[in-house]
Amino acid sequence: MGIASKIIHEQRERLREAGSERWRIVSAQLAAKVGPMAVRGALLAPRLGSSRGLPLIGRGVRVRNPHLIHAGADLIVEDFAEIQGLSRDGIRFGDRVSIGAGTLIRPSSYYSRAIGVGLVMGDGSSLSPGCYIGCSGGVTIGEKTMLGPGVRVFAEDHVMSDPSLDVKSQGVEWSPITIGSGCWIASGVTITSGVTIGDGAVVAAGAVVTRDVPAGAVYGGIPARELKSRSAE
């Protein structure tokens, strides 16, 4: 069963279990959305560096340098997302990865800057609508990790050590970001360069993460600090 048929079938079964009498109408609406996504995926898949199946691609999705993008099975990219493939290590998605509407993945600038490192996302991980993944210094996301709406990840920082020069002319420095498996990064979080977030950690909405987060910890605030440990719950 292809991903489009699988989604429609699973939705139909959920509606039936919920006792909805309108499951046929909802299923038809879903099919009307997923069908064109499958067509767009069929057109994109041969241009990708590799693809383990047919991706679903939403309306207005922009994919640059697709030969540097590698997709696992059941990739979903929702409406108006942008994926820039130009990077040293490429963009690599595991199986069952979903990219929310309006999300931007940018390892490199389009205009006369160094080529960035790239992004790796593990199986079952997701980016909610409106995320920004600046992966010039390299970003790695583990398996089954969720990034909420509007999460911002920046694997680079501006150099500002010389006060006699404007910041823009001093360039940037890169430092990789690692987000472990089984994490929940809630809406509006900002993660700065060089940070490692351990497996199973949770970062509360609106936090600004400027230092490492231990595995299983719950962090929140600006700058983010430990609120509690999940292991103690």
Side-chain angles (χ1 to χ4, degrees):
M1 182 183 296
I3 181 174
S5 298
K6 181 180 178 182
I7 289 173
I8 294 168
H9 174 76
E10 290 178 350
Q11 179 74 312
R12 182 171 62 242
E13 293 305 309
R14 282 193 291 267
L15 289 165
R16 282 175 169 172
E17 290 174 3
S20 173
E21 297 179 356
R22 300 175 64 84
W23 65 267
R24 289 185 177 84
I25 295 174
V26 177
S27 294
Q29 291 171 341
L30 182 60
K33 173 180 174 62
V34 172
M37 293 178 74
V39 172
R40 287 186 286 265
L43 295 174
L44 175 63
R47 300 166 52 211
L48 297 175
S50 63
S51 179
R52 294 189 56 239
L54 181 70
L56 295 183
I57 305 298
R59 295 179 298 113
V61 170
R62 298 184 300 275
V63 178
R64 312 297 187 193
N65 302 107
H67 63 288
L68 296 172
I69 299 172
H70 302 270
D74 298 348
L75 173 66
I76 300 175
V77 184
E78 296 182 355
D79 297 349
F80 303 106
E82 176 187 302
I83 305 173
Q84 162 64 282
L86 183 61
S87 51
R88 296 179 185 178
D89 297 339
I91 307 297
R92 300 182 178 274
F93 300 122
D95 295 341
R96 302 176 305 282
V97 166
S98 62
I99 309 299
T103 287
L104 305 179
I105 298 174
R106 292 184 175 176
S108 305
S109 170
Y110 293 111
Y111 310 108
S112 303
R113 282 182 58 187
I115 305 302
V117 176
L119 169 69
V120 175
M121 285 186 67
D123 295 349
S125 288
S126 59
L127 305 177
S128 295
C131 288
Y132 181 92
I133 309 298
C135 47
S136 55
V139 172
T140 300
I141 299 172
E143 298 181 357
K144 297 181 180 178
T145 282
M146 303 178 293
L147 274 64
V151 170
R152 299 171 294 272
V153 178
F154 300 98
E156 69 175 27
D157 200 2
H158 288 281
V159 177
M160 52 183 178
S161 55
D162 189 343
S164 68
L165 297 174
D166 62 272
V167 173
K168 185 175 182 178
S169 66
Q170 296 182 63
V172 298
E173 54 187 6
W174 295 346
S175 189
I177 291 172
T178 300
I179 303 172
S181 296
C183 296
W184 174 26
I185 313 300
S187 63
V189 168
T190 298
I191 301 172
T192 61
S193 63
V195 164
T196 294
I197 297 176
D199 293 346
V202 173
V203 180
V208 177
V209 184
T210 60
R211 57 184 177 181
D212 291 353
V213 175
V218 179
Y219 267 53
I222 303 175
R225 65 189 186 281
E226 186 167 8
L227 303 177
K228 60 181 179 179
S229 173
R230 294 180 64 204
S231 61
E233 295 182 348

